[in-house]
Amino acid sequence: IRDFLKTNEDLEITTATLSYKGRTDSSATISVYTATNGKRRIDQWRVGNEVVTLGETGSWTEVEIEGWHGFVKSAYLE
């Protein structure tokens, strides 16, 4: 049997939690956008939701949440 896809066993997935003013247990929602300009919102998610972080660009973090890919202000991540 031949391996067609090599995997990286050292791959580490980094996660964060959506938060507002340092809290992850309120009814606040955080917007996730298609780009770092904050003009086109994908949706809003309640704080406390976990996201996969993919990288940072300035004050924005690239994330994946519930199958969606977008950007959130880094200040809203714990």
Side-chain angles (χ1 to χ4, degrees):
I1 296 179
R2 189 175 215 186
D3 286 333
F4 290 99
L5 176 64
K6 294 202 181 271
T7 59
N8 183 354
E9 292 178 10
D10 296 329
L11 180 65
E12 184 177 319
I13 295 175
T14 304
T15 61
T17 304
L18 294 176
S19 68
Y20 181 70
K21 295 186 178 182
R23 295 190 58 191
T24 59
D25 62 348
S26 74
S27 61
T29 59
I30 304 299
S31 295
V32 178
Y33 297 91
T34 59
T36 59
N37 61 16
K39 291 184 179 179
R40 188 165 176 221
R41 184 173 68 199
I42 295 172
D43 206 344
Q44 293 179 311
W45 278 268
R46 284 201 185 272
V47 298
N49 275 300
E50 191 172 271
V51 300
V52 174
T53 58
L54 304 171
E56 284 190 60
T57 304
S59 63
W60 294 86
T61 300
E62 188 175 359
V63 298
E64 185 176 303
I65 181 171
E66 296 180 8
W68 292 92
H69 174 258
F71 295 86
V72 66
K73 285 284 204 174
S74 299
Y76 295 127
L77 296 173
E78 284 269 319

